[in-house]
Amino acid sequence: TAAIRLLSRGLVRYPNSRVLLEARADAFIARKWKGDASFALRDIERAMALQPGYGERDLKLIVAFASALHQLQQHESARYLMERHVKGKTFSDTELRGLVHLRGLQESVEAALEERGSGGRGEGSSPFLYDDDNDG
């Protein structure tokens, strides 16, 4: 809550700061209060609009976007976003170390889809986010 308040003050002074928008989106996602995922999506969209095309290549921003969608129970959209922007891509060890929660997010999305009966991949299927080339 304090972090969100400080980041919001920073955004009053620097409204076009991609760094502050990303940080506040992360804080909203972590806090998980009602409405926070929607606020996170708003900040992510603003951050992506500041540098068109850049956000599509930014793994951290894509994961934040998918996390917010997952919190809003938009599991199919979260899966689609991760598949479209992450599947088959090769990431540096630094990128993968910095995003350890990526696997947990994937598993959580798949479990939610399985529970709803809307196309979870099920056990034994290969995860879309990691293949042998990306496992570091």
mmCIF file with all atom_site columns, all heavy atoms in Angstrom, residues 95-113:
data_model
loop_
_atom_site.group_PDB
_atom_site.id
_atom_site.type_symbol
_atom_site.label_atom_id
_atom_site.label_alt_id
_atom_site.label_comp_id
_atom_site.label_asym_id
_atom_site.label_entity_id
_atom_site.label_seq_id
_atom_site.pdbx_PDB_ins_code
_atom_site.Cartn_x
_atom_site.Cartn_y
_atom_site.Cartn_z
_atom_site.occupancy
_atom_site.B_iso_or_equiv
_atom_site.pdbx_formal_charge
_atom_site.auth_seq_id
_atom_site.auth_comp_id
_atom_site.auth_asym_id
_atom_site.auth_atom_id
_atom_site.pdbx_PDB_model_num
ATOM 1   N N   . GLU A 1 95  ? 17.349  -13.071 -17.611 1.00 0.00 ? 95  GLU A N   1
ATOM 2   C CA  . GLU A 1 95  ? 15.903  -12.889 -17.745 1.00 0.00 ? 95  GLU A CA  1
ATOM 3   C C   . GLU A 1 95  ? 15.152  -13.992 -17.007 1.00 0.00 ? 95  GLU A C   1
ATOM 4   O O   . GLU A 1 95  ? 14.193  -13.730 -16.292 1.00 0.00 ? 95  GLU A O   1
ATOM 5   C CB  . GLU A 1 95  ? 15.490  -12.909 -19.215 1.00 0.00 ? 95  GLU A CB  1
ATOM 6   C CG  . GLU A 1 95  ? 15.870  -11.670 -19.981 1.00 0.00 ? 95  GLU A CG  1
ATOM 7   C CD  . GLU A 1 95  ? 15.578  -11.801 -21.456 1.00 0.00 ? 95  GLU A CD  1
ATOM 8   O OE1 . GLU A 1 95  ? 15.951  -12.825 -22.064 1.00 0.00 ? 95  GLU A OE1 1
ATOM 9   O OE2 . GLU A 1 95  ? 14.975  -10.863 -22.009 1.00 0.00 ? 95  GLU A OE2 1
ATOM 10  N N   . LEU A 1 96  ? 15.591  -15.226 -17.164 1.00 0.00 ? 96  LEU A N   1
ATOM 11  C CA  . LEU A 1 96  ? 14.902  -16.347 -16.520 1.00 0.00 ? 96  LEU A CA  1
ATOM 12  C C   . LEU A 1 96  ? 15.056  -16.310 -15.007 1.00 0.00 ? 96  LEU A C   1
ATOM 13  O O   . LEU A 1 96  ? 14.109  -16.596 -14.279 1.00 0.00 ? 96  LEU A O   1
ATOM 14  C CB  . LEU A 1 96  ? 15.413  -17.677 -17.075 1.00 0.00 ? 96  LEU A CB  1
ATOM 15  C CG  . LEU A 1 96  ? 15.017  -17.942 -18.530 1.00 0.00 ? 96  LEU A CG  1
ATOM 16  C CD1 . LEU A 1 96  ? 15.656  -19.236 -19.014 1.00 0.00 ? 96  LEU A CD1 1
ATOM 17  C CD2 . LEU A 1 96  ? 13.523  -17.981 -18.692 1.00 0.00 ? 96  LEU A CD2 1
ATOM 18  N N   . ARG A 1 97  ? 16.237  -15.956 -14.515 1.00 0.00 ? 97  ARG A N   1
ATOM 19  C CA  . ARG A 1 97  ? 16.429  -15.857 -13.060 1.00 0.00 ? 97  ARG A CA  1
ATOM 20  C C   . ARG A 1 97  ? 15.544  -14.768 -12.468 1.00 0.00 ? 97  ARG A C   1
ATOM 21  O O   . ARG A 1 97  ? 15.028  -14.909 -11.373 1.00 0.00 ? 97  ARG A O   1
ATOM 22  C CB  . ARG A 1 97  ? 17.886  -15.572 -12.731 1.00 0.00 ? 97  ARG A CB  1
ATOM 23  C CG  . ARG A 1 97  ? 18.732  -16.815 -12.562 1.00 0.00 ? 97  ARG A CG  1
ATOM 24  C CD  . ARG A 1 97  ? 20.055  -16.488 -11.909 1.00 0.00 ? 97  ARG A CD  1
ATOM 25  N NE  . ARG A 1 97  ? 20.835  -15.501 -12.650 1.00 0.00 ? 97  ARG A NE  1
ATOM 26  C CZ  . ARG A 1 97  ? 21.672  -15.783 -13.644 1.00 0.00 ? 97  ARG A CZ  1
ATOM 27  N NH1 . ARG A 1 97  ? 21.843  -17.010 -14.027 1.00 0.00 ? 97  ARG A NH1 1
ATOM 28  N NH2 . ARG A 1 97  ? 22.334  -14.827 -14.243 1.00 0.00 ? 97  ARG A NH2 1
ATOM 29  N N   . GLY A 1 98  ? 15.389  -13.687 -13.189 1.00 0.00 ? 98  GLY A N   1
ATOM 30  C CA  . GLY A 1 98  ? 14.586  -12.571 -12.690 1.00 0.00 ? 98  GLY A CA  1
ATOM 31  C C   . GLY A 1 98  ? 13.094  -12.851 -12.710 1.00 0.00 ? 98  GLY A C   1
ATOM 32  O O   . GLY A 1 98  ? 12.322  -12.122 -12.126 1.00 0.00 ? 98  GLY A O   1
ATOM 33  N N   . LEU A 1 99  ? 12.677  -13.914 -13.380 1.00 0.00 ? 99  LEU A N   1
ATOM 34  C CA  . LEU A 1 99  ? 11.252  -14.204 -13.510 1.00 0.00 ? 99  LEU A CA  1
ATOM 35  C C   . LEU A 1 99  ? 10.926  -15.633 -13.092 1.00 0.00 ? 99  LEU A C   1
ATOM 36  O O   . LEU A 1 99  ? 10.246  -16.367 -13.786 1.00 0.00 ? 99  LEU A O   1
ATOM 37  C CB  . LEU A 1 99  ? 10.810  -13.970 -14.959 1.00 0.00 ? 99  LEU A CB  1
ATOM 38  C CG  . LEU A 1 99  ? 10.909  -12.526 -15.401 1.00 0.00 ? 99  LEU A CG  1
ATOM 39  C CD1 . LEU A 1 99  ? 10.764  -12.406 -16.899 1.00 0.00 ? 99  LEU A CD1 1
ATOM 40  C CD2 . LEU A 1 99  ? 9.861   -11.682 -14.705 1.00 0.00 ? 99  LEU A CD2 1
ATOM 41  N N   . VAL A 1 100 ? 11.396  -15.992 -11.924 1.00 0.00 ? 100 VAL A N   1
ATOM 42  C CA  . VAL A 1 100 ? 11.199  -17.354 -11.425 1.00 0.00 ? 100 VAL A CA  1
ATOM 43  C C   . VAL A 1 100 ? 9.719   -17.710 -11.308 1.00 0.00 ? 100 VAL A C   1
ATOM 44  O O   . VAL A 1 100 ? 9.353   -18.861 -11.438 1.00 0.00 ? 100 VAL A O   1
ATOM 45  C CB  . VAL A 1 100 ? 11.831  -17.556 -10.028 1.00 0.00 ? 100 VAL A CB  1
ATOM 46  C CG1 . VAL A 1 100 ? 12.749  -18.733 -9.994  1.00 0.00 ? 100 VAL A CG1 1
ATOM 47  C CG2 . VAL A 1 100 ? 12.540  -16.330 -9.547  1.00 0.00 ? 100 VAL A CG2 1
ATOM 48  N N   . HIS A 1 101 ? 8.878   -16.721 -11.066 1.00 0.00 ? 101 HIS A N   1
ATOM 49  C CA  . HIS A 1 101 ? 7.458   -16.984 -10.895 1.00 0.00 ? 101 HIS A CA  1
ATOM 50  C C   . HIS A 1 101 ? 6.749   -17.315 -12.206 1.00 0.00 ? 101 HIS A C   1
ATOM 51  O O   . HIS A 1 101 ? 5.579   -17.663 -12.211 1.00 0.00 ? 101 HIS A O   1
ATOM 52  C CB  . HIS A 1 101 ? 6.777   -15.797 -10.212 1.00 0.00 ? 101 HIS A CB  1
ATOM 53  C CG  . HIS A 1 101 ? 6.778   -14.552 -11.027 1.00 0.00 ? 101 HIS A CG  1
ATOM 54  N ND1 . HIS A 1 101 ? 7.878   -13.760 -11.163 1.00 0.00 ? 101 HIS A ND1 1
ATOM 55  C CD2 . HIS A 1 101 ? 5.808   -13.988 -11.772 1.00 0.00 ? 101 HIS A CD2 1
ATOM 56  C CE1 . HIS A 1 101 ? 7.591   -12.746 -11.941 1.00 0.00 ? 101 HIS A CE1 1
ATOM 57  N NE2 . HIS A 1 101 ? 6.345   -12.859 -12.335 1.00 0.00 ? 101 HIS A NE2 1
ATOM 58  N N   . LEU A 1 102 ? 7.460   -17.264 -13.328 1.00 0.00 ? 102 LEU A N   1
ATOM 59  C CA  . LEU A 1 102 ? 6.856   -17.553 -14.622 1.00 0.00 ? 102 LEU A CA  1
ATOM 60  C C   . LEU A 1 102 ? 6.262   -18.964 -14.669 1.00 0.00 ? 102 LEU A C   1
ATOM 61  O O   . LEU A 1 102 ? 5.135   -19.156 -15.110 1.00 0.00 ? 102 LEU A O   1
ATOM 62  C CB  . LEU A 1 102 ? 7.897   -17.383 -15.726 1.00 0.00 ? 102 LEU A CB  1
ATOM 63  C CG  . LEU A 1 102 ? 7.409   -17.428 -17.160 1.00 0.00 ? 102 LEU A CG  1
ATOM 64  C CD1 . LEU A 1 102 ? 6.378   -16.350 -17.414 1.00 0.00 ? 102 LEU A CD1 1
ATOM 65  C CD2 . LEU A 1 102 ? 8.580   -17.261 -18.106 1.00 0.00 ? 102 LEU A CD2 1
ATOM 66  N N   . ARG A 1 103 ? 6.996   -19.929 -14.177 1.00 0.00 ? 103 ARG A N   1
ATOM 67  C CA  . ARG A 1 103 ? 6.485   -21.309 -14.167 1.00 0.00 ? 103 ARG A CA  1
ATOM 68  C C   . ARG A 1 103 ? 5.269   -21.432 -13.265 1.00 0.00 ? 103 ARG A C   1
ATOM 69  O O   . ARG A 1 103 ? 4.301   -22.101 -13.604 1.00 0.00 ? 103 ARG A O   1
ATOM 70  C CB  . ARG A 1 103 ? 7.566   -22.283 -13.715 1.00 0.00 ? 103 ARG A CB  1
ATOM 71  C CG  . ARG A 1 103 ? 8.540   -22.590 -14.791 1.00 0.00 ? 103 ARG A CG  1
ATOM 72  C CD  . ARG A 1 103 ? 9.447   -23.719 -14.403 1.00 0.00 ? 103 ARG A CD  1
ATOM 73  N NE  . ARG A 1 103 ? 10.376  -23.947 -15.502 1.00 0.00 ? 103 ARG A NE  1
ATOM 74  C CZ  . ARG A 1 103 ? 11.400  -24.730 -15.437 1.00 0.00 ? 103 ARG A CZ  1
ATOM 75  N NH1 . ARG A 1 103 ? 11.661  -25.389 -14.336 1.00 0.00 ? 103 ARG A NH1 1
ATOM 76  N NH2 . ARG A 1 103 ? 12.189  -24.890 -16.469 1.00 0.00 ? 103 ARG A NH2 1
ATOM 77  N N   . GLY A 1 104 ? 5.307   -20.781 -12.108 1.00 0.00 ? 104 GLY A N   1
ATOM 78  C CA  . GLY A 1 104 ? 4.178   -20.825 -11.197 1.00 0.00 ? 104 GLY A CA  1
ATOM 79  C C   . GLY A 1 104 ? 2.929   -20.217 -11.827 1.00 0.00 ? 104 GLY A C   1
ATOM 80  O O   . GLY A 1 104 ? 1.827   -20.727 -11.657 1.00 0.00 ? 104 GLY A O   1
ATOM 81  N N   . LEU A 1 105 ? 3.106   -19.138 -12.568 1.00 0.00 ? 105 LEU A N   1
ATOM 82  C CA  . LEU A 1 105 ? 1.984   -18.500 -13.247 1.00 0.00 ? 105 LEU A CA  1
ATOM 83  C C   . LEU A 1 105 ? 1.399   -19.451 -14.286 1.00 0.00 ? 105 LEU A C   1
ATOM 84  O O   . LEU A 1 105 ? 0.186   -19.637 -14.371 1.00 0.00 ? 105 LEU A O   1
ATOM 85  C CB  . LEU A 1 105 ? 2.418   -17.188 -13.901 1.00 0.00 ? 105 LEU A CB  1
ATOM 86  C CG  . LEU A 1 105 ? 1.357   -16.476 -14.744 1.00 0.00 ? 105 LEU A CG  1
ATOM 87  C CD1 . LEU A 1 105 ? 0.137   -16.113 -13.902 1.00 0.00 ? 105 LEU A CD1 1
ATOM 88  C CD2 . LEU A 1 105 ? 1.954   -15.241 -15.389 1.00 0.00 ? 105 LEU A CD2 1
ATOM 89  N N   . GLN A 1 106 ? 2.270   -20.065 -15.061 1.00 0.00 ? 106 GLN A N   1
ATOM 90  C CA  . GLN A 1 106 ? 1.803   -21.007 -16.078 1.00 0.00 ? 106 GLN A CA  1
ATOM 91  C C   . GLN A 1 106 ? 1.005   -22.135 -15.427 1.00 0.00 ? 106 GLN A C   1
ATOM 92  O O   . GLN A 1 106 ? -0.091  -22.472 -15.871 1.00 0.00 ? 106 GLN A O   1
ATOM 93  C CB  . GLN A 1 106 ? 2.967   -21.599 -16.858 1.00 0.00 ? 106 GLN A CB  1
ATOM 94  C CG  . GLN A 1 106 ? 2.509   -22.676 -17.831 1.00 0.00 ? 106 GLN A CG  1
ATOM 95  C CD  . GLN A 1 106 ? 3.629   -23.535 -18.354 1.00 0.00 ? 106 GLN A CD  1
ATOM 96  O OE1 . GLN A 1 106 ? 4.790   -23.278 -18.073 1.00 0.00 ? 106 GLN A OE1 1
ATOM 97  N NE2 . GLN A 1 106 ? 3.276   -24.551 -19.090 1.00 0.00 ? 106 GLN A NE2 1
ATOM 98  N N   . GLU A 1 107 ? 1.543   -22.705 -14.368 1.00 0.00 ? 107 GLU A N   1
ATOM 99  C CA  . GLU A 1 107 ? 0.859   -23.810 -13.686 1.00 0.00 ? 107 GLU A CA  1
ATOM 100 C C   . GLU A 1 107 ? -0.472  -23.362 -13.109 1.00 0.00 ? 107 GLU A C   1
ATOM 101 O O   . GLU A 1 107 ? -1.478  -24.083 -13.179 1.00 0.00 ? 107 GLU A O   1
ATOM 102 C CB  . GLU A 1 107 ? 1.755   -24.383 -12.589 1.00 0.00 ? 107 GLU A CB  1
ATOM 103 C CG  . GLU A 1 107 ? 2.972   -25.109 -13.134 1.00 0.00 ? 107 GLU A CG  1
ATOM 104 C CD  . GLU A 1 107 ? 4.021   -25.414 -12.080 1.00 0.00 ? 107 GLU A CD  1
ATOM 105 O OE1 . GLU A 1 107 ? 3.779   -25.134 -10.878 1.00 0.00 ? 107 GLU A OE1 1
ATOM 106 O OE2 . GLU A 1 107 ? 5.089   -25.921 -12.457 1.00 0.00 ? 107 GLU A OE2 1
ATOM 107 N N   . SER A 1 108 ? -0.512  -22.169 -12.546 1.00 0.00 ? 108 SER A N   1
ATOM 108 C CA  . SER A 1 108 ? -1.745  -21.640 -11.967 1.00 0.00 ? 108 SER A CA  1
ATOM 109 C C   . SER A 1 108 ? -2.812  -21.406 -13.034 1.00 0.00 ? 108 SER A C   1
ATOM 110 O O   . SER A 1 108 ? -3.987  -21.720 -12.834 1.00 0.00 ? 108 SER A O   1
ATOM 111 C CB  . SER A 1 108 ? -1.425  -20.343 -11.216 1.00 0.00 ? 108 SER A CB  1
ATOM 112 O OG  . SER A 1 108 ? -2.550  -19.866 -10.550 1.00 0.00 ? 108 SER A OG  1
ATOM 113 N N   . VAL A 1 109 ? -2.421  -20.868 -14.172 1.00 0.00 ? 109 VAL A N   1
ATOM 114 C CA  . VAL A 1 109 ? -3.359  -20.637 -15.278 1.00 0.00 ? 109 VAL A CA  1
ATOM 115 C C   . VAL A 1 109 ? -3.905  -21.969 -15.775 1.00 0.00 ? 109 VAL A C   1
ATOM 116 O O   . VAL A 1 109 ? -5.111  -22.152 -15.947 1.00 0.00 ? 109 VAL A O   1
ATOM 117 C CB  . VAL A 1 109 ? -2.681  -19.849 -16.427 1.00 0.00 ? 109 VAL A CB  1
ATOM 118 C CG1 . VAL A 1 109 ? -3.502  -19.915 -17.705 1.00 0.00 ? 109 VAL A CG1 1
ATOM 119 C CG2 . VAL A 1 109 ? -2.448  -18.402 -16.018 1.00 0.00 ? 109 VAL A CG2 1
ATOM 120 N N   . GLU A 1 110 ? -3.009  -22.935 -15.985 1.00 0.00 ? 110 GLU A N   1
ATOM 121 C CA  . GLU A 1 110 ? -3.445  -24.247 -16.481 1.00 0.00 ? 110 GLU A CA  1
ATOM 122 C C   . GLU A 1 110 ? -4.368  -24.940 -15.472 1.00 0.00 ? 110 GLU A C   1
ATOM 123 O O   . GLU A 1 110 ? -5.364  -25.555 -15.857 1.00 0.00 ? 110 GLU A O   1
ATOM 124 C CB  . GLU A 1 110 ? -2.237  -25.127 -16.800 1.00 0.00 ? 110 GLU A CB  1
ATOM 125 C CG  . GLU A 1 110 ? -1.400  -24.625 -17.966 1.00 0.00 ? 110 GLU A CG  1
ATOM 126 C CD  . GLU A 1 110 ? -2.176  -24.506 -19.274 1.00 0.00 ? 110 GLU A CD  1
ATOM 127 O OE1 . GLU A 1 110 ? -3.088  -25.318 -19.524 1.00 0.00 ? 110 GLU A OE1 1
ATOM 128 O OE2 . GLU A 1 110 ? -1.876  -23.588 -20.054 1.00 0.00 ? 110 GLU A OE2 1
ATOM 129 N N   . ALA A 1 111 ? -4.056  -24.832 -14.178 1.00 0.00 ? 111 ALA A N   1
ATOM 130 C CA  . ALA A 1 111 ? -4.895  -25.455 -13.150 1.00 0.00 ? 111 ALA A CA  1
ATOM 131 C C   . ALA A 1 111 ? -6.282  -24.810 -13.125 1.00 0.00 ? 111 ALA A C   1
ATOM 132 O O   . ALA A 1 111 ? -7.296  -25.509 -13.005 1.00 0.00 ? 111 ALA A O   1
ATOM 133 C CB  . ALA A 1 111 ? -4.232  -25.330 -11.783 1.00 0.00 ? 111 ALA A CB  1
ATOM 134 N N   . ALA A 1 112 ? -6.327  -23.491 -13.263 1.00 0.00 ? 112 ALA A N   1
ATOM 135 C CA  . ALA A 1 112 ? -7.621  -22.796 -13.271 1.00 0.00 ? 112 ALA A CA  1
ATOM 136 C C   . ALA A 1 112 ? -8.445  -23.213 -14.479 1.00 0.00 ? 112 ALA A C   1
ATOM 137 O O   . ALA A 1 112 ? -9.658  -23.432 -14.371 1.00 0.00 ? 112 ALA A O   1
ATOM 138 C CB  . ALA A 1 112 ? -7.403  -21.281 -13.257 1.00 0.00 ? 112 ALA A CB  1
ATOM 139 N N   . LEU A 1 113 ? -7.807  -23.357 -15.625 1.00 0.00 ? 113 LEU A N   1
ATOM 140 C CA  . LEU A 1 113 ? -8.528  -23.787 -16.820 1.00 0.00 ? 113 LEU A CA  1
ATOM 141 C C   . LEU A 1 113 ? -9.014  -25.222 -16.684 1.00 0.00 ? 113 LEU A C   1
ATOM 142 O O   . LEU A 1 113 ? -10.125 -25.554 -17.087 1.00 0.00 ? 113 LEU A O   1
ATOM 143 C CB  . LEU A 1 113 ? -7.643  -23.631 -18.057 1.00 0.00 ? 113 LEU A CB  1
ATOM 144 C CG  . LEU A 1 113 ? -7.408  -22.196 -18.503 1.00 0.00 ? 113 LEU A CG  1
ATOM 145 C CD1 . LEU A 1 113 ? -6.324  -22.136 -19.562 1.00 0.00 ? 113 LEU A CD1 1
ATOM 146 C CD2 . LEU A 1 113 ? -8.699  -21.580 -19.020 1.00 0.00 ? 113 LEU A CD2 1
#
